[in-house]
């Protein structure tokens, strides 16, 4: 009798072990972690259209008054016109509604500096797209969560405002990706959007907001945590089993885009992440963070960094996935802000570039004419660099009167910025047609 009781107890424990998943995931357990949607966005076999934008840096109009913000951006920014973020977002929403994509992807730095009020206002704007049957998937950037420098701007001073926690971020944007996710990483805000039976969009969260504090208000660098890597491997394995093409999106870059701008921009563990993606024959990724438009590659692996929507020329990407041909095409479009605001944004961007390098060159006590020529060349280069048009401007920049002075000068970081940028980015960064390695 005792022996039969013992056997019964062992059987019950074993049953509970397998039902609960035990120490290792069984096939049944992994299936439970993928929650497929019954209503697919796109029917199987059909082309899929995706719009992708990054680094909106939206600031609620209730948090800014005219004056100080524009001055701060001119003196310390990279050309983004956050003081017109309301106009930018309204124009972008109108553009998306007109194009009717199957999915809009926003790859981080949604807000200026993580203001809770900005997040709520932005989510409300994006909800218009959902109301018009356009799916939206967002991920945070390094400026979006636990931001200790979240602030508003009066005419003459700034004031501290609330930011959001990771939990609050998911709550605010719940209907913009998280609600319909087929899988979500338990250790980050990463998740999977099911675009169709042919494609998943893997939205990765590489930010270090858990370490933000009063001293380190916003950490620019990023990495894919160990737990997230394990989850990513699981998702990639599941996509392989199901014959699904994964598209991978992240805020931080997967590859280096410029030797002088790699620090804090490229993932700390990029080699490990790219090796994992290559293992599953994923050879194309999308990122942002650097604010400029660039396509980098290492062999047959490509990373498309989207230019900031808040910086001239206000690019957003157009992606078409063709399952039958097993390929993807990518192109850029400029947001239509009207002639007046577009001209202002271009002039503002060039003024920021000019002010930054001119004040730097004053330390070298050069002739005024030389400083002016070198400044003109820098402005020309920076414009081409951010717009992804170095391939078109290369000869003109090298023939400019200031370029030879940049070649001869020493002791300035801007020399490497220009010379390396010209040679490393002398390619088309605005368009790409790519065949997927995987033939699931």
């Amino acid at each position: 009798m005792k022996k039969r009781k013992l056997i019964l107890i062992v059987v019950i424990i074993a049953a509970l072990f397998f039902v609960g998943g035990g120490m290792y995931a069984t096939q049944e357990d992994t299936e439970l972690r993928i929650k497929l949607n019954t209503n697919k966005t796109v029917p199987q076999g059909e082309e899929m259209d995706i719009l992708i934008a990054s680094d909106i840096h939206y600031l609620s109009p209730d948090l800014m008054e005219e004056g100080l913000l524009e001055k701060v951006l001119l003196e310390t920014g990279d050309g983004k016109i956050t003081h017109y973020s309301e106009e930018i977002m309204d124009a972008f929403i109108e553009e998306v509604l007109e194009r009717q994509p199957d999915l809009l992807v926003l790859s981080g730095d949604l807000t200026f500096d993580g203001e809770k009020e900005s997040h709520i206002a932005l989510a409300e704007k994006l909800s218009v797209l959902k109301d018009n049957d356009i799916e939206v998937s967002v991920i945070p950037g390094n400026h979006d969560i636990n931001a200790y420098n979240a602030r508003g701007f009066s005419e003459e001073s700034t004031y501290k405002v609330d930011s959001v926690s990771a939990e609050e971020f998911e709550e605010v944007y719940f209907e913009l990706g998280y609600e319909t996710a087929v899988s979500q990483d338990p250790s980050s805000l990463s998740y999977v959007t099911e675009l169709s039976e042919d494609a998943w969009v893997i939205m990765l969260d590489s930010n270090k907001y858990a370490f933000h504090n009063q001293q380190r208000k916003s950490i620019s660098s990023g990495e894919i945590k160990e737990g997230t890597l394990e989850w990513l491997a699981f998702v990639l394995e599941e996509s392989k089993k199901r014959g699904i093409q994964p598209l991978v999106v992240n805020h931080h870059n997967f590859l280096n885009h410029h030797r002088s701008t790699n620090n804090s921009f490229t993932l700390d563990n990029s080699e490990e992440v790219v090796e994992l993606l290559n293992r599953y024959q994923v050879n194309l990724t999308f990122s942002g963070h650097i604010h400029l438009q660039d396509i980098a590659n290492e062999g047959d692996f490509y990373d498309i960094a989207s230019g900031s929507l808040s910086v001239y020329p206000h690019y957003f990407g157009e992606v078409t996935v063709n399952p039958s041909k097993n390929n993807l095409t990518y192109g850029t479009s400029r947001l239509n802000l009207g002639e007046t605001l577009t001209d202002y944004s271009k002039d503002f961007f060039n003024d920021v570039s000019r002010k930054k390098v001119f004040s730097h060159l004053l330390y070298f006590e050069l002739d005024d004419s030389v400083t002016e020529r070198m400044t003109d060349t820098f402005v020309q280069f920076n414009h081409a660099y951010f717009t992804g048009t170095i391939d078109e401007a290369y000869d003109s920049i090298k023939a400019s009167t200031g370029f030879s002075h940049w070649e001869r000068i020493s002791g300035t970081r801007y020399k490497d910025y220009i010379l390396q940028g010209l040679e490393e980015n002398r390619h088309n960064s605005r368009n790409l047609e790519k065949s997927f390695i995987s033939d699931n």
Side-chain angles (χ1 to χ4, degrees):
M1 186 70 177
K2 289 182 178 179
K3 186 175 181 180
R4 277 193 286 178
K5 284 184 177 179
L6 180 60
I7 292 172
L8 181 61
I9 291 171
V10 171
V11 170
I12 291 172
I13 291 174
L16 289 172
F17 182 87
F18 287 108
V19 171
M23 293 178 63
Y24 302 98
T26 64
Q27 177 64 27
E28 288 76 18
D29 181 53
T30 57
E31 291 290 348
L32 290 174
R33 293 167 62 188
I34 296 291
K35 303 176 296 182
L36 297 179
N37 297 321
T38 55
N39 296 318
K40 305 295 188 296
T41 303
V42 182
Q44 187 174 18
E46 291 193 8
E47 282 191 351
M48 293 159 274
D49 294 320
I50 304 170
L51 295 184
I52 184 166
S54 192
D55 297 85
I56 298 170
H57 288 287
Y58 176 80
L59 183 63
S60 168
D62 293 335
L63 295 178
M64 56 176 161
E65 299 177 19
E66 292 184 8
L68 180 61
L69 177 58
E70 183 177 13
K71 181 181 178 182
V72 168
L73 292 171
L74 181 61
E75 293 179 350
T76 64
D78 61 356
K80 59 180 175 287
I81 54 170
T82 303
H83 45 305
Y84 284 101
S85 58
E86 187 77 0
E87 289 83 353
I88 291 172
M89 274 312 300
D90 287 347
F92 187 55
I93 295 293
E94 183 177 341
E95 185 88 39
V96 177
L97 287 170
E98 182 178 333
R99 291 172 180 261
Q100 288 288 308
D102 298 306
L103 177 68
L104 169 65
V105 170
L106 300 178
S107 56
D109 277 0
L110 308 175
T111 58
F112 186 58
D113 266 319
E115 313 83 19
K116 185 174 184 177
E117 191 169 341
S118 296
H119 279 301
I120 293 172
L122 179 61
E124 288 178 356
K125 284 184 176 295
L126 294 171
S127 68
V128 173
L129 302 177
K130 289 283 290 184
D131 293 341
N132 284 270
D133 299 322
I134 298 173
E135 292 298 315
V136 182
S137 293
V138 307
I139 48 170
N142 55 291
H143 282 276
D144 287 324
I145 296 175
N146 293 343
Y148 279 73
N149 48 358
R151 62 201 189 278
F153 293 81
S154 65
E155 288 188 34
E156 299 180 350
S157 63
T158 64
Y159 53 93
K160 185 174 176 58
V161 299
D162 290 337
S163 184
V164 295
S165 65
E167 294 76 17
E168 289 171 324
F169 181 93
E170 182 178 346
E171 181 181 341
V172 170
Y173 295 103
F174 182 68
E175 296 181 354
L176 303 169
Y178 293 98
E179 182 179 27
T180 57
V182 300
S183 181
Q184 188 169 347
D185 174 29
S187 60
S188 76
L189 289 172
S190 305
Y191 63 96
V192 179
T193 292
E194 183 185 18
L195 186 55
S196 76
E197 292 183 15
D198 298 305
W200 286 350
V201 180
I202 303 174
M203 306 288 288
L204 291 177
D205 172 19
S206 56
N207 301 288
K208 299 179 179 179
Y209 44 75
F211 302 102
H212 290 176
N213 54 44
Q214 196 60 46
Q215 285 69 45
R216 305 178 74 188
K217 299 180 187 297
S218 177
I219 300 173
S220 296
S221 62
E223 67 176 349
I224 305 298
K225 296 185 292 188
E226 183 178 350
T228 303
L229 279 172
E230 293 174 359
W231 170 81
L232 175 59
F234 159 75
V235 170
L236 292 171
E237 182 65 28
E238 285 296 310
S239 68
K240 181 179 179 181
K241 290 177 185 176
R242 299 166 187 268
I244 292 171
Q245 178 63 53
L247 305 175
V248 183
V249 180
N250 188 50
H251 182 62
H252 295 86
N253 308 133
F254 292 88
L255 297 178
N256 295 333
H257 287 262
H258 190 301
R259 271 181 284 171
S260 67
T261 57
N262 294 335
N263 186 34
S264 296
F265 290 96
T266 307
L267 286 166
D268 293 349
N269 57 342
S270 61
E271 291 185 5
E272 183 180 12
V273 177
V274 171
E275 190 278 329
L276 173 61
L277 295 174
N278 275 325
R279 195 187 314 159
Y280 284 93
Q281 297 184 306
V282 176
N283 64 344
L284 177 66
T285 52
F286 298 89
S287 61
H289 195 33
I290 52 176
H291 286 197
L292 55 88
Q293 181 67 37
D294 188 59
I295 300 177
N297 74 290
E298 288 184 2
D300 200 43
F301 188 96
Y302 285 75
D303 181 42
I304 300 177
S306 297
S308 170
L309 194 66
S310 64
V311 177
Y312 181 83
H314 309 283
Y315 278 143
F316 60 91
E318 302 172 275
V319 180
T320 300
V321 181
N322 191 322
S324 63
K325 295 183 179 179
N326 198 33
N327 77 346
L328 172 152
T329 57
Y330 170 86
T332 54
S333 286
R334 298 188 180 203
L335 181 60
N336 182 9
L337 294 175
E339 184 177 356
T340 300
L341 185 52
T342 298
D343 288 346
Y344 168 83
S345 182
K346 181 179 180 180
D347 291 342
F348 188 84
F349 178 83
N350 289 337
D351 287 346
V352 168
S353 299
R354 181 174 299 280
K355 184 178 180 67
K356 185 180 298 183
V357 76
F358 185 84
S359 60
H360 175 76
L361 290 175
L362 289 178
Y363 290 103
F364 294 85
E365 299 182 348
L366 305 168
D367 289 345
D368 290 347
S369 60
V370 172
T371 300
E372 285 289 346
R373 285 195 286 269
M374 292 178 70
T375 298
D376 289 341
T377 297
F378 178 85
V379 171
Q380 183 184 6
F381 166 79
N382 212 38
H383 178 274
Y385 190 27
F386 270 71
T387 57
T389 56
I390 287 181
D391 58 324
E392 297 176 354
Y394 181 87
D395 291 337
S396 176
I397 293 171
K398 295 203 73 170
S400 66
T401 55
F403 184 76
S404 60
H405 295 291
W406 280 111
E407 289 183 303
R408 292 194 297 269
I409 199 171
S410 60
T412 169
R413 65 186 184 276
Y414 289 119
K415 175 180 180 177
D416 290 340
Y417 178 73
I418 296 174
L419 270 58
Q420 292 174 4
L422 274 176
E423 301 307 323
E424 294 176 2
N425 300 83
R426 192 182 176 185
H427 52 255
N428 185 345
S429 285
R430 305 171 305 285
N431 303 280
L432 180 70
E433 183 169 354
K434 190 80 177 71
S435 295
F436 297 121
I437 293 177
S438 54
D439 188 8
N440 294 317

